[in-house]
Amino acid sequence: MTTTPSPLTSLRRAITLSETAPRAIASESASKANGNASHNTYLTLTATESLHRAEQLPKIFADAKNRPPLYGIPISIKDCFDLAGTTTSCGSRYYAQLNPRATKNSWVAQRLLEAGAIIPGKTHLHQLAYGITGENADYGNCVQPRDATLLTGGSSSGAAASVQEGSALAAIGTDTGGSVRVPAALCGLTGYRASLGVSRGEERWAGAFHLAPSFDTLGLLFRDLRDGPALAHAIYNIPTVPTPTQLRIGYVGDDFTHDCEPEVLTAFAAWKQHLTHHGSTLTPIDTAFWADSLEIFSTIQASEAAQIHRGRYQHFEPAIAERLTWGASITPTQLETLHRRLDIFRSQISSLFQQVDLLLVPCAPVNKLLAGKDQSHIRKAILRYTTPASLGGLPTVTLAGEAIGAPFGTGMQLIAAPMQDGALLAFAASLLNPPH
């Protein structure tokens, strides 16, 4: 619980009152960039361009009373989105050399600039955005700025690091199987994974690189739940709606969370209690049909990724090349069967949302990934928690454990029905206010 203004509110107010200026903000952002021990929060820094743009902002948006919502706010973007004048690496040195410099901005980058934001650079990611740990053989493993012994999680690894180190107030990420939710959870941040419907369409992926189009969504990482509605509205045009009340929230039972570490279970219990205090009714849900989710997700994902990167597998890390090779071997008949199973799964998810308004699920069974340790086993364990929302195309907010005094790194997924993004963000934002 807090009565202090949120980070976005505080910075906006300071700009309005002329207590700071965009150039000072851009300069401070640049001074904090790549502040982690691995010095790889960003794969491309744009400090010079950011300072120049910051100096120009008062002229670009001369009417002080009608400045756009992110005027002077530093927001990083994942290096799978084009930014004019830079090369998009997708976390791969092969693509960094192959891809030409972008001549125009991706849709996401252009939205940020039109909203007045400053873009400090393009952030680290797992190769091809195809991983969950934040490890990268080409650019080094991304460790947390606050603790060099811990990986950030991935694939939006640098996005999380940029917010944690303070070089960005918020970060643009992507989420296919958990790539926003997991780094947000492990780094003590808030994450927002947009509904698949919000992220669909050629326009929103213009100048961006897909991993698996059936599941790829856009997202955000930031510090404070209260900033979610304003950020999502400014960037993704998510409607700002009244806060829903007296919600029915379904939570996964012990049969699902059997592999959770004690810290995660402590946070899970704390969030259930917190939600009850905020007037929600909590009931356990039957997740037996989720047992199929990892197989359906991983196989379709591998097949789609294999098509995108066909003929180039040898240029990537062995584990990723192996997944791509497997993906290429999946037959049309197998895919047809999997898509039928996906349709059934989505129908079952719809039935679940007839009974409850939201779902509460841990983001991961662990609260930390130690740098330098073998993490090859963890991908499957984490994806069991994240892929149900991915298959359903569901909007999700990551609730940081620290927000209510629970152990660090113990983020929870608060999941809504498709296209209920505005209501989800509004409700999540209300959770930091004292209960009525």
Side-chain angles (χ1 to χ4, degrees), residues 62-358:
D63 184 355
K65 292 181 180 178
N66 289 298
R67 282 174 175 160
L70 301 179
Y71 179 85
I73 307 297
I75 299 182
S76 67
I77 62 171
K78 190 174 181 176
D79 196 18
C80 55
F81 294 101
D82 284 348
L83 179 64
T86 71
T87 302
T88 302
S89 74
C90 300
S92 160
R93 288 200 185 278
Y94 170 73
Y95 278 130
Q97 294 165 4
L98 180 71
N99 291 335
R101 284 183 181 270
T103 57
K104 54 193 285 192
N105 292 317
S106 58
W107 179 85
V108 163
Q110 191 61 33
R111 283 286 294 189
L112 289 177
L113 296 174
E114 289 171 0
I118 298 163
I119 301 175
K122 301 174 71 182
T123 55
H124 183 286
L125 67 158
H126 213 101
Q127 270 190 1
L128 315 184
Y130 205 175
I132 208 78
T133 61
E135 296 169 302
N136 186 307
D138 282 352
Y139 291 103
N141 301 338
C142 195
V143 298
Q144 296 189 29
R146 75 187 295 275
D147 187 342
T149 69
L150 301 180
L151 294 167
T152 53
S155 66
S156 302
S157 38
S162 71
V163 177
Q164 201 185 75
E165 74 186 8
S167 61
L169 184 136
I172 301 288
T174 61
D175 189 308
T176 306
S179 290
V180 162
R181 291 165 283 166
V182 172
L186 296 177
C187 292
L189 303 173
T190 299
Y192 161 57
R193 169 203 149 89
S195 285
L196 190 59
V198 167
S199 302
R200 273 267 160 86
E202 290 182 16
E203 180 198 44
R204 297 207 166 183
W205 283 93
F209 290 79
H210 272 293
L211 171 60
S214 286
F215 307 119
D216 293 341
T217 64
L218 303 168
L220 282 167
L221 295 96
F222 49 103
R223 283 196 176 275
D224 193 307
L225 286 166
R226 295 171 296 169
D227 287 336
L231 288 167
H233 180 67
I235 301 168
Y236 301 127
N237 204 29
I238 302 299
T240 304
V241 302
T243 303
T245 57
Q246 298 181 317
L247 296 184
R248 303 163 300 164
I249 300 179
Y251 64 90
V252 292
D254 297 344
D255 55 334
F256 189 85
T257 59
H258 62 85
D259 59 343
C260 279
E261 292 182 347
E263 294 87 349
V264 177
L265 293 175
T266 296
F268 190 36
W271 271 110
K272 284 190 282 187
Q273 185 177 44
H274 188 79
L275 289 162
T276 301
H277 287 163
H278 273 260
S280 299
T281 303
L282 270 70
T283 55
I285 54 167
D286 181 4
T287 56
F289 73 94
W290 289 11
D292 279 349
S293 63
L294 183 54
E295 182 190 356
I296 297 168
F297 171 82
S298 295
T299 314
I300 294 174
Q301 178 194 44
S303 174
E304 293 184 358
Q307 290 181 48
I308 292 170
H309 303 287
R310 189 176 303 281
R312 296 168 173 167
Y313 306 163
Q314 72 274 19
H315 297 289
F316 311 125
E317 300 174 20
I320 293 175
E322 188 178 315
R323 275 179 233 149
L324 293 170
T325 302
W326 167 57
S329 73
I330 297 159
T331 67
T333 302
Q334 289 173 306
L335 275 178
E336 189 178 331
T337 300
L338 285 162
H339 277 284
R340 280 201 300 269
R341 289 168 64 187
L342 175 58
D343 289 341
I344 293 168
F345 184 93
R346 287 177 172 167
S347 174
Q348 291 172 304
I349 282 283
S350 294
S351 297
L352 197 54
F353 281 111
Q354 300 298 315
Q355 305 161 43
V356 296
D357 302 302
L358 299 172

Side-chain angles (χ1 to χ4, degrees), residues 371-386:
K373 300 293 184 183
D374 179 14
Q375 300 294 349
S376 57
H377 68 287
I378 202 65
R379 182 172 182 268
K380 196 171 281 189
I382 292 177
L383 289 177
R384 191 172 71 82
Y385 285 78
T386 57

